[in-house]
C-alpha cells in the first residue's frame, strides 16, 4: 500500500522547505556525478574485512555511506577520509586481528544505526553474521517497514548462533549473536532484492570457508549481482555460477563463493542512477547532456537507462569518456525495467512528455524500497492531471493532457516521502512545467547531497527556495 505523506498543519510548528526548479530552454552541458553508492558501500565491506590497507578513490559522500562507515568503525575498522571523503583509506580487520575485533562485541551487542540505508542493513547483516559477534542494526521508522526476512531466513540455518528480524513482517531491527557461519549451503529468495544475494556473496570470504548459495525463484536486478562479483574479484573473492537453461543470467540458480579479501586500490565509478536525471533532463528539454566518467562498459547496469531514452526517440552517443543524450520528440514505449529499477521514477517523469503511453514492467519489488515507488509515484503524478495506471509488476504512464493549465499562481506540491529518488525525479518536472514545488528537498543527502547545486549549474538557472513555518514564509 502507498505510504501516507506527511503534511504541514496550522498547529505544526516545524518549518517546511520547498524548492522549485525554474523552466527554461534546452538543457546543455556536461557533468560528472558523484561516486556510485552501490560501489562505495560494497567496496567498504570488502575493504573492512580484508587483510591489509585499501585505498578507495572516487567514493560517495552521503548519508548512506556515512552510516556504513560509522557502523564499521564500531568493530575497529579504521577509515580515514582524504579529499573531503572522496577517497577513503581503509585498514581492514581481516586475518590475524579478527579475533581481537570480535571481542569488541563479545559481551553486549554493538548498536548500529543505519538510518534508511538498504545497502547498509543488508550487507552488514550478512557480513557481521559471518564475522561473528553480537550486534543490533536499527534505523528510522521506514527502515523498520522494509522486509529483510528472506536474508535472515537464508542465514539462520547456516549460522552458529542466532539471528532475528524483530519488527512485524520480518523487518529490522536485526539482532545477531553469532560465532560465524557453519559452511552449510544457503537458500535465498530472489524476488524482493538482489542485495540479499549480494550481501551473502560478499560475506562468503569473511566466513573463511567455501559457501554455496542457492537462489529460489527469479532474481531481480541481475546487473547488481554481476557488479558485486566483479568488485569482489578486485579484493580476492572468487565466485562460480550455475544456471538453468540456455539463458545464463535469467536462469541463475546457484553461486559458489570462496577466497579471502586482501587490501587493494579500487576506483569507484560515478553513480549511474544519479546520471539518469541528467540524461533525462536532456530528453525532457530537447537539450544535449554528456555524462562523463561512465561508459558502455561500466559495471553499473543503470547506464542502460540512456539506451531506454534512445528507444523513446533521443539520440545516443558514447565514447571512452562518457555517454551523451540529445533530446528529440519522445514516443511512448513498453519496457522491462527489472534490471534498472532505480531509474523507474526518472522514466515516469520523462514519459509524461511523450506522444503515447509508456508501460513499465518487471518492477514489483519497487514497492519495498525507501517508499512504495509504484503506488506513491502514481499518487504524485496524478496531482499534475496525469493518468497513471498501476499494475502488479509496474505501471503505465500516459502523456500529460494539458501542461498549460499549470502555473506559478496555482502551484502543485509534490511529496517526496523522504525518498531521494522521488525528489530528484520530480525536479525534472520543473524543466518544463511552472509551479512545481518539491517538499523536503534535503532528502537527496541520502545519496547525492550536491544534487540541487549540480542541477542548477547545469541548467544555468537558480532554483526558488521557500521555508514555511507556523507563522508563514521565512527567508529562503
Amino acid at each position: 500500500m502507498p505510504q501516507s505523506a506527511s503534511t504541514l498543519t496550522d498547529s505544526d510548528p516545524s518549518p517546511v522547505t520547498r524548492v522549485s526548479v525554474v523552466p527554461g530552454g534546452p538543457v546543455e552541458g556536461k557533468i560528472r556525478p558523484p561516486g556510485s553508492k552501490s560501489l562505495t558501500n560494497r567496496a567498504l565491506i570488502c575493504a573492512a574485512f580484508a587483510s591489509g590497507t585499501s585505498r578507495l578513490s572516487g567514493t560517495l559522500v552521503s548519508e548512506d555511506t556515512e552510516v556504513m562507515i560509522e557502523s564499521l568503525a564500531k568493530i575497529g575498522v579504521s577509515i580515514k577520509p582524504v579529499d573531503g571523503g572522496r577517497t577513503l583509506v581503509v585498514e581492514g580487520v581481516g586475518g590475524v586481528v579478527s579475533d581481537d575485533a570480535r571481542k569488541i562485541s563479545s559481551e553486549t551487542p554493538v548498536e548500529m544505526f543505519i538510518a534508511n540505508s538498504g545497502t547498509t542493513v543488508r550487507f552488514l547483516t550478512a557480513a557481521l553474521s559471518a564475522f561473528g559477534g553480537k550486534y543490533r542494526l536499527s534505523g528510522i521508522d521506514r527502515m523498520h517497514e522494509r522486509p529483510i526476512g528472506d536474508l535472515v531466513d537464508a542465514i539462520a540455518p547456516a549460522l552458529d548462533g542466532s539471528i532475528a528480524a524483530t519488527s512485524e513482517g520480518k523487518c529490522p531491527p536485526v539482532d545477531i549473536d553469532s560465532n560465524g557461519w557453519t559452511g552449510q549451503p544457503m537458500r535465498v529468495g530472489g524476488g524482493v532484492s538482489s542485495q540479499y544475494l549480494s550481501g551473502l556473496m560478499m560475506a562468503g570470504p569473511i566466513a573463511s570457508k567455501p559457501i554455496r548459495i542457492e537462489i529460489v525463484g527469479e532474481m531481480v536486478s541481475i546487473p547488481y549481482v554481476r557488479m558485486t562479483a566483479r568488485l569482489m574479484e578486485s579484493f580476492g573473492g572468487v565466485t562460480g555460477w550455475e544456471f538453468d537453461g540456455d539463458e545464463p543470467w535469467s536462469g541463475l540458480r546457484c553461486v559458489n563463493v570462496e577466497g579471502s579479501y586482501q587490501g587493494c586500490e579500487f576506483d569507484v565509478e560515478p553513480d549511474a542512477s544519479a546520471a539518469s536525471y541528467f540524461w533525462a533532463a536532456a530528453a525532457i528539454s530537447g537539450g544535449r547532456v554528456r555524462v562523463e566518467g561512465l561508459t558502455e562498459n561500466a559495471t553499473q547496469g543503470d547506464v542502460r537507462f540512456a539506451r531506454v531514452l534512445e528507444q523513446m526517440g533521443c539520440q545516443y552517443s558514447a565514447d571512452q569518456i562518457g555517454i551523451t543524450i540529445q533530446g528529440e520528440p519522445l514516443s511512448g514505449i513498453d519496457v522491462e525495467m527489472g534490471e534498472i529499477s532505480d531509474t523507474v521514477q526518472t522514466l515516469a517523469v520523462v514519459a509524461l512528455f511523450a506522444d503515447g503511453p509508456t508501460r513499465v514492467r518487471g518492477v514489483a519489488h519497487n514497492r519495498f524500497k525507501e517508499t512504495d515507488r509504484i503506488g506513491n509515484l502514481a499518487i504524485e503524478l496524478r496531482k499534475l492531471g496525469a493518468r497513471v495506471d498501476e499494475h502488479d509488476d509496474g505501471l503505465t504512464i500516459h502523456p500529460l493532457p494539458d501542461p498549460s493549465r499549470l502555473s506559478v499562481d496555482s502551484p502543485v506540491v509534490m511529496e517526496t516521502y523522504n525518498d531521494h529518488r522521488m525528489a530528484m525525479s520530480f525536479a525534472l518536472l520543473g524543466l518544463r512545467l511552472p509551479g512545481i514545488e518539491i517538499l523536503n528537498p534535503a532528502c537527496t543527502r541520502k545519496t547525492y547531497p550536491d544534487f540541487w547545486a549540480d542541477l542548477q549549474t547545469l541548467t544555468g538557472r537558480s532554483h526558488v527556495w521557500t521555508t514555511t513555518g507556523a507563522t508563514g514564509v521565512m527567508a529562503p
Side-chain angles (χ1 to χ4, degrees), residues 2 36 62 73 108 135 144 177 198 230 269 311 402 412 417 439:
S36 162
S62 74
T108 59
Y135 310 94
H144 298 168
D177 186 351
S198 287
R230 289 176 63 177
E269 298 169 347
Q311 286 180 254
D402 185 16
V412 177
Y417 305 85
L439 286 172

Side-chain angles (χ1 to χ4, degrees), residues 290-311:
R290 176 181 179 83
V291 174
E292 298 186 335
L294 288 170
T295 70
E296 293 181 310
N297 296 322
T299 61
Q300 300 166 80
D302 282 358
V303 294
R304 287 179 46 210
F305 179 79
R307 287 293 191 184
V308 175
L309 295 178
E310 183 184 34
Q311 286 180 254

Side-chain angles (χ1 to χ4, degrees), residues 357-420:
T358 293
R359 172 70 161 97
V360 176
R361 303 179 186 272
V363 294
H365 58 287
N366 269 24
R367 292 193 184 273
F368 305 103
K369 300 214 176 211
E370 282 81 345
T371 186
D372 179 347
R373 289 181 174 173
I374 296 175
N376 288 334
L377 176 61
I379 287 171
E380 298 307 307
L381 295 184
R382 288 170 187 147
K383 291 179 179 179
L384 305 169
R387 175 185 165 189
V388 182
D389 305 324
E390 295 184 51
H391 311 289
D392 289 343
D393 72 332
L395 65 170
T396 300
I397 307 97
H398 297 261
L400 201 59
D402 185 16
S404 63
R405 77 176 187 85
L406 300 170
S407 73
V408 292
D409 296 326
S410 301
V412 177
V413 179
M414 308 296 286
E415 173 64 58
T416 59
Y417 305 85
N418 203 35
D419 182 346
H420 55 131

Side-chain angles (χ1 to χ4, degrees), residues 31-35 269-271 274-275 278 291-292 294 448 454:
I31 189 168
R32 183 184 179 97
E269 298 169 347
D271 194 292
F278 303 114
V291 174
E292 298 186 335
L294 288 170
Y448 197 164
D454 286 354

Side-chain angles (χ1 to χ4, degrees), residues 215-386:
I215 292 92
V216 179
E218 185 176 353
M219 176 57 60
V220 298
S221 303
I222 282 288
Y224 285 96
V225 176
R226 293 197 295 260
M227 180 178 72
T228 300
R230 289 176 63 177
L231 184 144
M232 289 172 60
E233 183 179 350
S234 299
F235 288 87
V238 179
T239 55
W241 310 88
E242 297 178 17
F243 306 98
D244 282 348
D246 298 329
E247 294 293 330
W249 291 104
S250 62
L252 177 62
R253 288 295 169 260
C254 181
V255 186
N256 296 291
V257 183
E258 54 187 317
S260 60
Y261 292 138
Q262 306 296 319
C264 71
E265 294 193 0
F266 184 83
D267 291 330
V268 175
E269 298 169 347
D271 194 292
S273 304
S276 74
Y277 308 114
F278 303 114
W279 287 321
I284 289 171
S285 70
R288 180 181 178 85
V289 174
R290 176 181 179 83
V291 174
E292 298 186 335
L294 288 170
T295 70
E296 293 181 310
N297 296 322
T299 61
Q300 300 166 80
D302 282 358
V303 294
R304 287 179 46 210
F305 179 79
R307 287 293 191 184
V308 175
L309 295 178
E310 183 184 34
Q311 286 180 254
M312 297 184 79
C314 294
Q315 294 183 30
Y316 171 102
S317 60
D319 55 30
Q320 295 305 306
I321 298 175
I323 298 174
T324 301
I325 287 294
Q326 169 70 57
E328 300 288 351
L330 297 166
S331 299
I333 58 173
D334 191 316
V335 59
E336 162 65 50
M337 296 189 73
E339 294 192 347
I340 57 171
S341 57
D342 276 347
T343 64
V344 168
Q345 291 141 295
T346 322
L347 185 69
V349 171
V350 175
L352 295 174
F353 303 100
D355 64 3
T358 293
R359 172 70 161 97
V360 176
R361 303 179 186 272
V363 294
H365 58 287
N366 269 24
R367 292 193 184 273
F368 305 103
K369 300 214 176 211
E370 282 81 345
T371 186
D372 179 347
R373 289 181 174 173
I374 296 175
N376 288 334
L377 176 61
I379 287 171
E380 298 307 307
L381 295 184
R382 288 170 187 147
K383 291 179 179 179
L384 305 169

Side-chain angles (χ1 to χ4, degrees), residues 109-137:
V110 175
E111 298 276 352
M112 296 182 175
F113 178 75
I114 42 74
N116 197 19
S117 175
T119 55
T120 302
V121 72
R122 292 160 184 165
F123 296 167
L124 282 178
T125 292
L128 294 172
S129 68
F131 185 62
K134 296 180 182 179
Y135 310 94
R136 180 174 176 83
L137 281 63

Side-chain angles (χ1 to χ4, degrees), residues 124-152:
L124 282 178
T125 292
L128 294 172
S129 68
F131 185 62
K134 296 180 182 179
Y135 310 94
R136 180 174 176 83
L137 281 63
S138 63
I140 66 170
D141 289 346
R142 175 58 182 169
M143 173 53 69
H144 298 168
E145 299 171 348
R146 300 177 66 181
I148 198 170
D150 284 353
L151 179 58
V152 168

